[in-house]
Amino acid sequence: MAPRPAQRSSAGLRVALCVGAVAALSALLHSAGAFVQLSRPSSETRRQLLLGVAGGLAGAANAAEAGAGELFALPQPKKRNKKQIDFRAIQASIGKDIGLLVGLNGACFEIPDKEAGKVARSSAGTIAYDPDAPCGAGKAFIHSAGESEFAPMTAEAGPGKHKYYAAIFDGLVVDKYVSQVGKCFDIPQGGEDGISWEIANTGRGGMCDY
């Protein structure tokens, strides 16, 4: 892409115009001097001539500056009306299955009660868990391990909104957690490429921040 030409500042433009005006005035005065030598006009005539020259130059300078202002004026971006996204209306059309874990990062889903709990689709090497469940210090409710069944996310105990996590773990770690799905167990350690999302149980006072 070709570089954009640098814009002239207003002060720099005025300086350039003044320099040009002075040069033009000098040339006109030189011509006026030659005319004076030939015709020897009176001092009043000479004064009127100089005033006319100065007035013409000032008018030319103002016109040039106004034109340059239009030339270098940047177009203003048009304001666009932002559409408000109704996330709750969108969620009304979403069933219990909220899709692949990989697509949930940063999302929040509201459910009216535990019967409306959400499930996701896990994949090999991943563990999904809920440290907001009342499992005790260092524990979490395990929702999936590898390609296991997914225990519904209901936020039925503890805070009204739970934050869930998933990450990729070593195969031996995943194998250890398969039997713990649907139970409280140690929070898995050493995961990579972690993501998080939220489930808010509105029947218990939970609410998504949108």
Side-chain angles (χ1 to χ4, degrees):
M1 181 181 296
R4 296 177 60 185
Q7 297 180 9
R8 293 187 182 178
S9 67
S10 177
L13 183 60
R14 289 192 180 95
V15 170
L17 289 171
C18 287
V19 171
V22 170
L25 178 60
S26 176
L28 285 171
L29 287 176
H30 180 74
S31 298
F35 174 78
V36 169
Q37 288 179 358
L38 290 174
S39 59
R40 299 290 182 181
S42 66
S43 58
E44 178 61 23
T45 303
R46 193 180 309 161
R47 188 179 70 84
Q48 291 178 356
L49 175 62
L50 292 176
L51 287 175
V53 170
L57 289 175
N62 289 335
E65 184 172 2
E70 295 178 358
L71 177 62
F72 292 105
L74 291 175
Q76 296 299 315
K78 294 182 179 179
K79 292 183 178 179
R80 296 182 180 179
N81 295 327
K82 293 183 179 179
K83 286 188 176 180
Q84 296 295 327
I85 299 174
D86 190 343
F87 287 99
R88 288 184 174 85
I90 293 174
Q91 289 202 36
S93 64
I94 299 176
K96 285 191 173 184
D97 188 337
I98 54 178
L100 295 171
L101 284 176
V102 69
L104 301 181
N105 194 35
C108 183
F109 300 89
E110 291 182 350
I111 58 174
D113 49 46
K114 67 177 183 179
E115 281 71 28
K118 302 290 188 181
V119 297
R121 280 171 262 166
S122 187
S123 58
T126 61
I127 298 175
Y129 55 99
D130 174 16
D132 285 336
C135 293
K139 306 286 185 179
F141 188 87
I142 309 304
H143 284 275
S144 70
E147 297 177 304
S148 71
E149 291 291 324
F150 203 101
M153 298 174 285
T154 62
E156 63 178 293
K161 180 172 69 174
H162 287 207
K163 192 168 189 176
Y164 299 78
Y165 296 83
I168 299 174
F169 295 87
D170 181 80
L172 294 176
V173 176
V174 175
D175 291 343
K176 178 182 177 181
Y177 276 76
V178 170
S179 60
Q180 305 302 323
V181 172
K183 305 175 186 177
C184 287
F185 197 60
D186 297 335
I187 294 176
Q189 304 295 319
E192 297 180 351
D193 300 324
I195 61 171
S196 65
W197 64 98
E198 294 173 313
I199 299 291
N201 188 324
T202 58
R204 301 185 57 249
M207 185 177 294
C208 290
D209 297 327
Y210 50 61

